[in-house]
Amino acid sequence: MYYVLSYEVPQDEDEGYLDLQDGLDFDGVDSWSLGQRFQAALPDPIEVDLVPVGGYRGEPSEMYDGNMCLMSGRLVSALLACGVDNIDHYRAVLKNTETGQTYDYRAVNIVGLVAAADLASSVWESHDGDARIDTSFDELVVDEGKTLGALMFRLAENTSTILIHAKVRDHLLSSGFPTLRFLEPSEWMT
């Protein structure tokens, strides 16, 4: 069984939150979601600003997956400990622009795309007719035979979708990551 790995951005009672400023460009990096290894050297560390909105004073999410995938060092360690072996990760520092507080994170490149959608059973739409990269799903059905047992991967049909094996989900649940969400593929809409 596979689950979509998602996350929530923590909010306080006044709906304040930390706005991640991850729209950074790096020479030699076309996209963090195409599953390709980077040939270029990246800054060490990668510095990313967190802008408090509405006076938010809490902690950041354990994961962000916008322009780049960022995970806490604790989350990356948990993924590696349960056998995920297809991630390249780079030191990153998230910095609260108001308080100056910094957080140890990793910029994560999930290497390899897997075309694992059962397109005959899924409800999907593609504006260009090609079920790759940016396919919209109203209901995703995963063909587990196509996953080849991968523990974590980006879906080739929609590369903003990260799928994890039930073994990984169970390990992360037992490790206590309150901002992570694990959705059944049929619940995932893109």
Side-chain angles (χ1 to χ4, degrees):
M1 174 84 181
Y2 284 85
Y3 294 87
V4 176
L5 176 61
S6 188
Y7 61 95
E8 286 186 3
V9 174
Q11 292 186 337
D12 61 23
E13 60 277 352
D14 297 322
E15 297 185 7
Y17 61 95
L18 289 171
D19 185 25
L20 182 77
Q21 303 294 303
D22 69 339
L24 306 173
D25 289 323
F26 302 104
D27 288 337
V29 176
D30 292 328
S31 172
W32 289 80
S33 64
L34 293 179
Q36 301 167 342
R37 283 214 148 84
F38 304 144
Q39 301 305 315
L42 298 177
D44 184 15
I46 296 170
E47 297 179 356
V48 183
D49 287 341
L50 289 168
V51 178
V53 175
Y56 183 80
R57 296 276 180 218
E59 298 291 310
S61 180
E62 294 274 356
M63 174 182 171
Y64 295 92
D65 190 38
N67 291 323
M68 66 174 54
C69 184
L70 291 154
M71 297 180 180
S72 67
R74 187 173 85 92
L75 177 53
V76 169
S77 293
L79 290 170
L80 295 172
C82 71
V84 172
D85 62 0
N86 63 322
I87 58 174
D88 292 339
H89 52 97
Y90 308 88
R91 255 179 10 110
V93 174
L94 306 188
K95 181 179 179 183
N96 184 311
T97 58
E98 278 187 15
T99 67
Q101 184 171 2
T102 59
Y103 303 91
D104 174 36
Y105 271 64
R106 307 295 288 181
V108 176
N109 183 23
I110 302 169
V111 178
L113 301 177
V114 178
D118 178 343
L119 295 175
S121 300
S122 297
V123 178
W124 60 279
E125 179 181 1
S126 175
H127 298 289
D128 62 6
D130 185 16
R132 288 197 41 82
I133 299 176
D134 62 352
T135 304
S136 296
F137 286 94
D138 286 332
E139 184 176 334
L140 172 62
V141 177
V142 175
D143 180 343
E144 294 195 25
K146 294 180 179 179
T147 68
L148 303 176
L151 295 178
M152 178 177 179
F153 59 90
R154 286 192 183 274
L155 187 66
E157 293 88 351
N158 181 298
T159 61
S160 67
T161 302
I162 299 171
L163 290 168
I164 58 172
H165 191 276
K167 169 188 168 181
V168 176
R169 183 204 66 158
D170 293 347
H171 180 73
L172 296 177
L173 281 171
S174 70
S175 299
F177 291 96
T179 60
L180 296 184
R181 298 294 170 260
F182 309 97
L183 304 171
E184 292 197 19
S186 61
E187 300 171 337
W188 182 244
M189 294 177 61
T190 59

